[in-house]
Each structure stands twice: as C-alpha cells, then as structure tokens.
Amino acid sequence: SISKLNEIFQIHRNKKAIFFESQELTYQDLINAINVRQNYARKRQVQPGDKVAILTDSRLDQLLWGLTALFEGLTYVPIN
C-alpha cells in the first residue's frame, strides 16, 4: 500500500534509494522530488484518477513522475 511505501521512505530517508547512471538519490531526495511534482500537478488541478501524459527525455524524470503518479493515485501515461 502507499502508506507502507511512504513509511519505508521515511524510515530509510538517509539511505541510498536509487543509483542511476552517475546519480545517487536517497529516499529523502525521492521524497523531495515527488513533493515538487505533486505541487506541480496540484497547481494544474490534477485529481486522483486523472490520466497524466509526461513527455521528458530523462529516464530518471520518468521514474520520478511514475512514483508521483503512484502516490497521487494518477494514471501515468509515458510518451516516448
């Protein structure tokens, strides 16, 4: 469940969560990145259940938007 996932993020906030190409992100980094994207979506009045299409060249950004969609209850539609 999302609450369990959020709990894991909080417990392990200082541990490395993602090793992607030359970047390393902690769980806290993930929380921060998800919060930025949540705020972006909310400002655009995106609601749980909405389909959200994301166009980005960054695979890491795709992952972060996918996590944001999961936490927000959105349907994430990647565009390649």
Side-chain angles (χ1 to χ4, degrees):
S1 74
I2 296 303
S3 61
K4 185 65 174 172
L5 187 58
N6 193 37
E7 180 182 329
I8 290 168
F9 276 41
Q10 295 297 328
I11 291 170
H12 300 289
R13 67 179 42 232
N14 295 321
K15 293 184 180 180
K16 300 292 183 196
I18 294 179
F19 300 89
F20 186 80
E21 295 176 353
S22 63
Q23 293 181 290
E24 294 180 3
L25 299 175
T26 64
Y27 284 95
Q28 184 62 53
D29 294 333
L30 289 179
I31 291 167
N32 294 343
I34 290 168
N35 286 339
V36 167
R37 285 157 182 79
Q38 285 173 322
N39 291 333
Y40 180 88
R42 288 176 186 160
K43 285 180 184 175
R44 283 148 187 82
Q45 300 178 348
V46 175
Q47 301 293 318
D50 286 353
K51 293 179 183 174
V52 178
I54 302 297
L55 177 61
T56 179
D57 290 333
S58 167
R59 290 185 290 169
L60 180 58
D61 205 34
Q62 286 178 348
L63 172 66
L64 295 171
W65 271 108
L67 288 170
T68 302
L70 180 66
F71 276 90
E72 288 292 297
L74 307 172
T75 301
Y76 170 62
V77 181
I79 300 175
N80 296 331

